[in-house]
Amino acid sequence: MDRMLEIQQMLTDTLSHADHTPAIVDEELWDKANANATGRDFRKFHYLFKGKVWCDSCGCECEHTSTTKSNGITYLYYRCPTCHTYMNESRIIHFIGDSLDDMVRTHYIYEDLRKPKKRYQLVSDEMRELIYGYSYRSLDEDYYRKMMEIYSEEKKELEETISKRKQEIQNMIFFSQSADEQKAMIRAYIDHINVDYMMNTVEPIYTSEYERIQKYVF
Ligand SMILES: [Zn+2]
């Protein structure tokens, strides 16, 4: 028997015994089986800003709705349940695309450059201390030279590491990230997105976590 058919059969059995058997159905399995049964994945439209879009006019959280045209292309919308206004997802992306790219770069600058940057600062401080010690406190010359050499070497390596990674990060864009990464970043860094349907404006409101990591951008 085909694997998906097996899963479907299993689900049918589980559900038909739901009254007396606790139905422990893995959600992902359920979605897969359903997608297979109906030929399309009806509840798995990937709303990028799921639960994040708010109507600026009335302050309501927008609902998710979609339409599939005869050419097979599906359009995703965020709809205000009170004002009955719609905004296409791609329109929101058009408005905040640059902010999303910035978000990705900020994320990686924080994740990948924070530690080497901190170390770089520490090494620079140590070198300054050594120079001071050598100039004013008759620090042993051999020791001074040896330490300066070690620190200079490390500083050079750190500079190279930082500048190489920084270059890579500058070339990153939001849509070069995997779907999971996109979702994770939106979840962590965007509190919500205010959409003003009348004024045709879209404004992302960031989380405090995002404000925190933004301090590391240099
Ligand atoms: Zn509204």
Side-chain angles (χ1 to χ4, degrees), residues 11-202:
L11 286 172
T12 314
D13 292 349
T14 313
L15 293 173
S16 61
H17 294 98
D19 288 347
H20 33 92
T21 316
I24 304 162
V25 181
D26 178 67
E27 199 192 342
E28 197 186 346
L29 204 64
W30 168 244
D31 286 336
K32 270 186 198 157
N34 264 307
N36 199 52
T38 58
R40 69 188 187 96
D41 200 343
F42 69 94
R43 47 175 282 195
K44 275 288 172 179
F45 286 135
H46 174 58
Y47 287 91
L48 196 51
F49 309 115
K50 195 174 173 188
K52 296 282 185 189
V53 177
W54 296 3
C55 171
D56 209 28
S57 306
C58 69
C60 274
E61 186 183 323
C62 293
E63 294 170 342
H64 312 112
T65 175
S66 67
T67 170
T68 302
K69 304 283 183 197
S70 52
N71 58 13
I73 298 174
T74 298
Y75 296 88
L76 305 180
Y77 295 93
Y78 298 85
R79 174 186 178 270
C80 174
T82 313
C83 310
H84 304 294
T85 40
Y86 291 81
M87 191 170 281
N88 193 323
E89 181 167 282
S90 56
R91 186 136 189 85
I92 298 179
I93 292 168
H94 166 78
F95 276 112
I96 66 166
D98 289 346
S99 306
L100 294 176
D101 292 342
D102 282 345
M103 199 173 80
V104 168
R105 291 170 195 147
T106 304
H107 172 81
Y108 283 104
I109 284 172
Y110 177 75
E111 287 294 318
D112 300 349
L113 297 185
R114 178 174 38 112
K115 279 184 189 151
K117 241 188 93 186
K118 201 171 166 188
R119 179 70 198 160
Y120 183 86
Q121 190 58 52
L122 200 81
V123 169
S124 305
D125 291 348
E126 288 293 339
M127 287 172 85
R128 227 184 344 264
E129 278 297 310
L130 275 174
I131 293 167
Y132 181 82
Y134 182 61
S135 312
Y136 300 102
R137 281 189 262 124
S138 59
L139 192 67
D140 177 70
E141 181 163 351
D142 284 346
Y143 175 79
Y144 167 76
R145 294 203 184 283
K146 191 166 171 281
M147 288 313 289
M148 282 301 273
E149 199 183 315
I150 292 171
Y151 282 137
S152 301
E153 189 64 31
E154 190 181 355
K155 202 172 164 180
K156 202 169 137 242
E157 278 168 20
L158 282 165
E159 268 168 8
E160 280 166 15
T161 307
I162 291 168
S163 106
K164 187 166 169 276
R165 187 64 185 141
K166 202 174 165 186
Q167 194 60 46
E168 289 165 357
I169 291 170
Q170 286 313 316
N171 292 326
M172 285 180 173
I173 56 167
F174 183 76
F175 286 101
S176 64
Q177 305 296 298
S178 74
D180 282 346
E181 283 165 329
Q182 291 173 8
K183 259 195 266 180
M185 282 187 213
I186 287 176
R187 202 182 307 128
Y189 302 140
I190 296 187
D191 186 73
H192 65 278
I193 300 166
N194 278 331
V195 171
D196 190 324
Y197 296 91
M198 300 294 286
M199 302 301 288
N200 211 16
T201 58
V202 177

